[in-house]
Amino acid sequence: METTRKERVRIGAFMLLCGILILIFLGYVLSTYLNREYDNYYTIFNKSVTGLYGEAHVKLNGIDVGNVTGIHIDSANLNQVIVSFRVDKGTPIKKGTRAGMTHGISLTGEKQIILSGGNFDEPDVPEGGFVPAEESAFDEIASQAGNIVGRVDTLLHNLNNIFSSENAENISKAIKNLEVATKNLSSLSQNLERKIRCH
């Protein structure tokens, strides 16, 4: 069935209207993205940042506020990693704010920067400023576990020294001497008891 000229005009007008609406929507999304303003900061980690990548999320109290913009080794200290990140302009980054990392709880093992702490009555960290890193609960547990392992190792080493072949031989001799002394004491007490009875 052929369409009439009037129907073709209607279909064309509808398609043109849809195209215009799509362009308006795309323009709005792009303008929002391009006009988005950020504040830049950095932090320094004294540990491996394996699993942390550029564009990783930055969260403040669980809310997505920005992303990582750069990761590089500190040229002055090779044990330190400088992580640059940006947050939405106006995000409250206070002097008491600390930066931490998640520990690969996702299936991919990718990490995120977690910002926490700080009070509203504290001054803001200036744009481009330094946000100190903090140890997470995971780091503290790992550190305590390391201390416990060290103590157990020392205890086992001391036990090995106590029960070394030389010490075991000395302990065996001491036990034998104690047995001999006990027998002698027993004999002496029996002799004394006989003498007392005789008198």
Side-chain angles (χ1 to χ4, degrees), residues 167-185:
N167 284 342
E169 189 177 338
N170 291 335
I171 290 170
S172 178
K173 286 179 181 177
I175 291 172
K176 285 179 182 177
N177 291 337
L178 185 61
E179 286 177 357
V180 170
T182 303
K183 285 179 183 177
N184 291 338
L185 188 61

Side-chain angles (χ1 to χ4, degrees), residues 85-150:
F85 61 93
R86 65 184 184 180
V87 297
D88 295 330
K89 195 164 190 66
T91 301
I93 306 297
K94 302 293 184 177
K95 289 288 186 184
T97 301
R98 296 291 179 267
M101 275 188 297
T102 56
H103 282 273
I105 34 181
S106 68
L107 291 175
T108 60
E110 291 184 5
K111 296 181 180 178
Q112 301 174 344
I113 297 294
I114 304 297
L115 302 175
S116 60
N119 297 313
F120 276 101
D121 56 352
E122 293 177 336
D124 292 332
V125 176
E127 205 275 339
F130 171 67
V131 178
E134 72 172 350
E135 284 195 353
S136 66
F138 182 88
D139 294 323
E140 292 175 8
I141 290 169
S143 175
Q144 289 177 4
N147 291 337
I148 290 170
V149 168

Side-chain angles (χ1 to χ4, degrees), residues 149-167:
V149 168
R151 289 177 185 171
V152 168
D153 185 53
T154 303
L155 177 64
L156 290 174
H157 179 70
N158 291 338
L159 285 173
N160 281 337
N161 288 339
I162 290 171
F163 294 108
S164 67
S165 57
E166 185 180 340
N167 284 342

